[in-house]
Structure formats: structure tokens, C-alpha cells
Amino acid sequence: MNATTTTLERGYGKLPIPYGWFGVGLSGEIPNGQIRTMRYFGTEFVMWRGGDGQLRAVDPFCPHMGAHLGINSDVAGNDLRCPYHHWRFNGEGGVAKIPYTDAISPSIKQSCLPTWPLVEADGIIYVWYHPNKAAPKWDVARIPACPDGAWVLAGVHEWVVNIHCREIPENGQDYQHFGAVHGVPGPPAAEFRIEGWTRRNTVVAEMNTPRGPMEGMIDVTATGPGQSITEFKDVTHVVMNQQVTPITAEQTHVRWQLYHVPGLSEGKLRVTQARMRDLVNQIQQDIPIWNNKKCEERPLLVKGDGPI
């Protein structure tokens, strides 16, 4: 008897992809003169960095004869040059040059190729996604100012998980899983509030440390569906900058950058590194659950489940 493999329908494919600012890469990944085809939101776009150091992003197909602008194209000055007929496009989606004619209509000079708004902040490339190309509705959030000099970037991590992007911020509101999955010794006391496009959580929780349980504070600022900045103040002071970006409705790219304050003693640095390893361990504990759970549109929530 031959074994057969079945794929269970988990319900995420039917969910819409939300709009917002989403991290799609690290700034250093695209040097001057380089082009990348980016595959997110169930679609593609092409991004390039011009000679002036600025990033631009457009839809992937040349409106002239349909060539893919991420395949065998090149950067000419600040423009993206199509490989098929060498039409050049600027960052506004307009035709900057056609090598074999000067008869370029004003309309295509202004714009004939849809663009993607983008911002670079804290070393991350963010693009604005909206299914109808609506303009950005809020600004990209920045990490908080360091209380003593400049933050030290101590770790960069990324994961691709097979789940809709909404599950990840919801996971942060699921207070009861902290003990079951992560071994947090006591239920957290939390404040929760929504301010416009921003969700703020302040969680006071008991944590396990080499010196025994101690109380720590977790301060979360989530802006839109794609950004979350978390400050951990306990045995040390760590900032986690998180980007949650949908690849499709059923797959999500998660990026973390972990920072600590400068000037740590050797002992304090070891404690801080252990704290950051614990954070990475926690998401690695979550990922097998995310990769295999189903979408519960009407979960059986009870008192104590938190503001899911």
C-alpha cells in the first residue's frame, strides 16, 4: 500500500494582506548601482540604488514591451535601464531617456510605471504596500533614543514562517502562552491601548534569571501591522526592532535587530548576551506552533486570555 501525503487546509490563504509599511531588507544589502527583485505581498517589485545613494522601487514590467526590469537590467546614473530596448526610468516612474528617439510624450515623462513609496530608517528598508496603491497613511516608526550615547547593534536575525502575518502581533497579546511555551513563571500584568495606527503595551512580568525570578518590564510600540519596537528593562536594557512582512497570505518574513546600551562591563555584557539569546530562543519555540496551527476566526477565548 502506497502512503499518500495530504496537505491540511489551514485557512490562511483566504485572508487579505494588510496595508502598511513593511521591512523588505537591510540597507547594506543593496549597494550603489545594484538592483533587486523583491517578492512580497503576493507580487513582485524591482528596487535599485542610484549613484546618488538613494533607493527607488517600481513595478516589475517595462510598459514599453513588457520586459522584466529585474532581469539583466542595469543602473544608469540614478535611473533603471530596461535590458530590452534600453529605455531609462527614474524613481517617479517616468521615462528619463529613450536612446533612439527624442519624441517622448510629457505624460510618459511624468509617470508611466507605478512606484513603491520607500523609507530607510535604522538601517532597514521599508516599503509602503497598499493593494490599490493608496498613499501612505502614517510614518515609519524609529527606535527610541538611547539613554547613554548610541545603541550598539548586537544581533540581526530573520526567519520565514508559514503563517499569515497577523498571527505574529496577536501572539504578543496572548499572555497565557508566555508560561506554557516560554516558561515565564507568572502571568504578566499588562496595560494595553490603541492610539491611531499605534498599539502600545506595557507588560510587567516575572522572569527567570540565573539569580532567580525577578520582575522585568516589556514596553511594546507596534505601528501598523508590520513594525514592532520592544524595550526590555530587567537585568539589562535591550531594544528589539521587529519587522513582520507578508510574502503571501500564508508565509511571512520576520526580521529582528537587537540593540543594547554602550559601555557595558564584561559581566553586564555576558548578562545582556544571555538575555538576547533567550529572546531568540523564545521565537524559535513559537515557530513550530505557528508553522502548523490553523486560522481560528472564532477562537474559544476565555477570561484571562488577554486582548487577543
Side-chain angles (χ1 to χ4, degrees):
M1 180 176 180
N2 293 328
T4 59
T5 301
T6 59
T7 301
L8 296 176
E9 173 55 53
R10 300 192 297 143
Y12 292 109
K14 66 185 179 182
L15 298 179
I17 294 175
Y19 63 80
W21 287 106
F22 295 95
V24 297
L26 305 178
S27 291
E29 293 174 341
I30 307 182
N32 285 15
Q34 294 296 303
I35 303 164
R36 296 286 188 276
T37 298
M38 314 299 282
R39 295 179 175 90
Y40 290 102
F41 321 113
T43 187
E44 294 183 0
F45 55 96
V46 175
M47 182 177 292
W48 77 98
R49 195 181 296 277
D52 59 0
Q54 297 298 309
L55 279 176
R56 286 101 173 157
V58 295
D59 275 4
F61 296 111
C62 178
H64 174 222
M65 295 286 283
H68 195 295
L69 294 169
I71 307 298
N72 295 333
S73 55
D74 61 3
V75 176
N78 296 322
D79 300 330
L80 181 64
R81 187 169 68 172
C82 176
Y84 204 5
H85 300 89
H86 282 188
W87 284 35
R88 287 168 53 169
F89 297 91
N90 58 34
E92 288 72 50
V95 176
K97 183 178 178 62
I98 300 175
Y100 50 85
T101 183
D102 293 326
I104 307 174
S105 70
S107 62
I108 70 171
K109 278 186 176 181
Q110 182 177 3
S111 180
C112 62
L113 186 58
T115 61
W116 291 68
L118 60 86
V119 172
E120 293 186 80
D122 300 320
I124 307 301
I125 304 166
Y126 295 92
V127 300
W128 172 264
Y129 168 75
H130 192 286
N132 300 320
K133 294 289 188 181
K137 298 179 180 294
W138 63 86
D139 295 329
V140 169
R142 265 70 171 183
I143 62 174
C146 182
D148 184 19
W151 292 110
V152 176
L153 178 59
V156 176
H157 306 271
E158 59 182 303
W159 303 267
V160 172
V161 290
N162 297 323
I163 204 164
H164 191 275
C165 64
R166 82 174 193 188
E167 289 276 355
I168 296 169
E170 283 187 0
N171 182 77
Q173 304 303 117
D174 178 9
Y175 301 151
Q176 294 304 325
H177 95 282
F178 293 167
V181 178
H182 306 309
V184 174
E191 295 179 8
F192 171 84
R193 57 197 184 277
I194 299 290
E195 300 170 359
W197 304 103
T198 301
R199 168 177 55 85
R200 300 186 187 277
N201 295 76
T202 301
V203 179
V204 178
E206 195 173 83
M207 302 177 183
N208 291 317
T209 75
R211 298 180 181 179
M214 70 165 291
E215 190 173 85
M217 188 180 77
I218 305 171
D219 194 5
V220 182
T221 302
T223 305
Q227 280 191 277
S228 178
I229 299 169
T230 306
E231 279 195 85
F232 299 88
K233 298 178 182 178
D234 40 62
V235 291
T236 186
H237 189 178
V238 170
V239 167
M240 180 179 72
N241 193 19
Q242 174 179 272
Q243 301 86 49
V244 173
T245 305
I247 299 170
T248 66
E250 298 175 289
Q251 196 171 58
T252 299
H253 197 160
V254 182
R255 288 183 175 86
W256 282 10
Q257 303 83 49
L258 296 173
Y259 298 85
H260 63 69
V261 294
L264 296 178
S265 66
E266 184 177 344
K268 194 76 168 180
L269 180 59
R270 285 198 301 268
V271 170
T272 299
Q273 290 169 338
R275 183 72 177 98
M276 292 188 292
R277 285 194 299 271
D278 181 63
L279 294 174
V280 172
N281 182 59
Q282 287 187 29
I283 191 172
Q284 290 172 341
Q285 292 169 332
D286 285 322
I287 286 173
I289 297 173
W290 294 343
N291 279 343
N292 294 282
K293 73 182 296 294
K294 73 181 289 286
C295 175
E296 287 290 354
E297 285 296 298
R298 297 179 180 273
L300 294 177
L301 300 178
V302 298
K303 183 178 180 181
D305 270 326
I308 299 172

